[in-house]
């Protein structure tokens, strides 16, 4: 069979998809906002390690200024927009997933595997993060005692044991990928940042685990 390959010179070029580029931009901005939020969130939630009084004071401040009531739903919105935009790239059919895995194996390229970490943790975070946001935001005000009581039911302790590493991995890898994708890093910069990023992720998981244990053993009145 004769193959007819159209020559580019005689064909109209494909329309340049500006929308896709804009959506990529919004995907990155919502991702960066969520990374910043999660860093603040870790500091706020782990303030219980200093003392439950400090955590209560911070929670009180965020509620009397309406930052929790307004910020909470905005985080929810950013979370959903970010998911919908990032999902454009996720292979959902088995056929696509097979190709993706075969390519990742063949290339032996760690950053391609990091993308798979992103797509996998994203699914867990979408479900568990959604449940968490709902439970916390429909139970305001936040107090150390209420959080401790929740975690001491045992169910929520295990729930967070899964959610915590997924979120920290996703945030860490996401932050690294933003810097690489948008050209903030050269090749040597990549390797050194990746090492620092791994240390940071381990540190955040460590602080998160200590926080969970503090809630678990906090005496309830
Ligand atoms: C405005 C939005 C949010 C508020 C007000 C909030 C509040 C809280 C509070 C009060 C706790 C302590 C445990 C509890 O009370 O059950 C907690 C823990 C936690 N939250 Fe959030 N959260 C928010 C958003 C998120 C999001 C978007 C994620 C990730 C998808 C997340 C992940 C976690 C994790 C992993 C823990 C476990 C505690 C730890 O770090 O050791 N949170 N959050």
């Amino acid at each position: 069979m004769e193959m007819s390959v159209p020559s580019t010179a005689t064909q109209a070029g494909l329309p340049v998809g500006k929308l896709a580029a804009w959506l990529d931009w919004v995907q990155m901005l919502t991702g960066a906002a969520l990374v910043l939020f999660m860093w603040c969130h870790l500091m706020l939630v782990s303030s219980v390690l200093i003392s439950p009084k400090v955590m209560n004071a911070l929670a009180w401040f965020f509620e009397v200024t309406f930052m929790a009531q307004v910020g909470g739903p905005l985080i929810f919105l950013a979370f959903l927009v970010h998911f919908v935009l990032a999902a454009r790239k996720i292979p959902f059919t088995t056929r696509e997933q097979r190709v993706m895995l075969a390519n990742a194996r063949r290339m032996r390229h760690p950053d391609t595997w990091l993308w798979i970490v992103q797509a996998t943790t994203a699914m867990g975070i979408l479900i568990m993060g959604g449940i968490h946001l709902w439970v916390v935001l429909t139970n305001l005000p936040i107090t150390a005692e209420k959080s401790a009581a929740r975690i001491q039911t045992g169910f929520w302790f295990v729930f967070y044991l899964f959610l915590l590493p997924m979120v920290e991995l996703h945030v860490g890898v996401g932050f690294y990928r933003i810097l690489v994708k948008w050209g903030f890093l050269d090749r040597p910069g990549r390797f050194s940042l990746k090492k620092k990023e791994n240390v940071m992720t381990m540190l955040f998981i460590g602080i998160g685990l200590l926080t969970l244990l503090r809630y678990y053993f906090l005496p309830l009145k």
Side-chain angles (χ1 to χ4, degrees):
M1 192 182 79
E2 195 192 320
M3 295 282 282
S4 95
V5 180
S7 122
T8 18
T10 56
Q11 297 289 315
L14 287 172
V16 179
K18 280 216 176 115
L19 180 65
W22 277 110
L23 293 180
D24 258 20
W25 187 237
V26 180
Q27 178 191 327
M28 184 274 276
L29 288 178
T30 48
L34 288 166
V35 169
L36 283 178
F37 168 75
M38 286 315 301
W39 287 342
C40 297
H41 173 282
L42 186 78
M43 285 195 266
L44 293 173
V45 172
S46 66
S47 63
V48 73
L49 290 173
I50 304 172
S51 98
K53 278 205 184 103
V54 173
M55 177 181 167
N56 286 341
L58 288 169
W60 174 84
F61 172 76
F62 278 92
E63 274 150 44
V64 290
T65 52
F66 290 97
M67 280 157 91
Q69 294 88 328
V70 177
L74 283 180
I75 293 295
F76 223 144
L77 189 67
F79 188 76
L80 286 181
V81 169
H82 181 72
F83 173 75
V84 171
L85 293 181
R88 291 171 306 151
K89 321 277 176 63
I90 301 180
F92 281 104
T93 65
T94 316
R95 199 175 63 84
E96 288 170 338
Q97 285 167 353
R98 278 214 186 105
V99 174
M100 170 82 213
L101 278 176
N103 282 340
R105 279 201 201 102
R106 190 167 44 237
M107 287 194 287
R108 294 170 199 271
H109 178 232
D111 284 13
T112 300
W113 285 106
L114 283 188
W115 186 83
I116 295 179
V117 169
Q118 284 311 76
T120 317
T121 51
M123 295 301 143
I125 297 170
L126 178 70
I127 298 169
M128 298 180 88
I131 294 173
H132 168 64
L133 277 163
W134 185 266
V135 166
V136 172
L137 293 173
T138 56
N139 266 300
L140 293 177
I142 292 168
T143 67
E145 289 72 21
K146 265 163 77 179
S147 294
R150 190 161 29 237
I151 287 169
Q152 287 176 26
T153 59
F155 172 83
W156 289 102
F157 183 76
V158 176
F159 178 94
Y160 288 131
L161 278 185
F162 281 93
L163 181 58
L164 174 70
M166 284 197 294
V167 171
E168 295 306 347
L169 272 177
H170 196 89
V171 162
V173 174
F175 177 60
Y176 166 77
R177 288 179 58 86
I178 287 177
L179 296 183
V180 172
K181 177 172 170 182
W182 297 86
F184 293 104
L185 286 175
D186 52 11
R187 231 165 204 285
R190 255 196 224 192
F191 292 111
S192 79
L193 181 88
K194 204 186 298 193
K195 284 205 191 99
K196 286 186 201 134
E197 188 48 68
N198 287 342
V199 173
M200 246 165 89
T201 303
M202 295 311 287
L203 189 73
F204 287 170
I205 294 180
I207 297 175
L209 284 176
L210 285 177
T211 305
L212 281 179
L213 286 171
R214 179 75 182 108
Y215 284 121
Y216 196 78
F217 292 110
L218 195 78
L220 298 178
K221 281 172 206 129

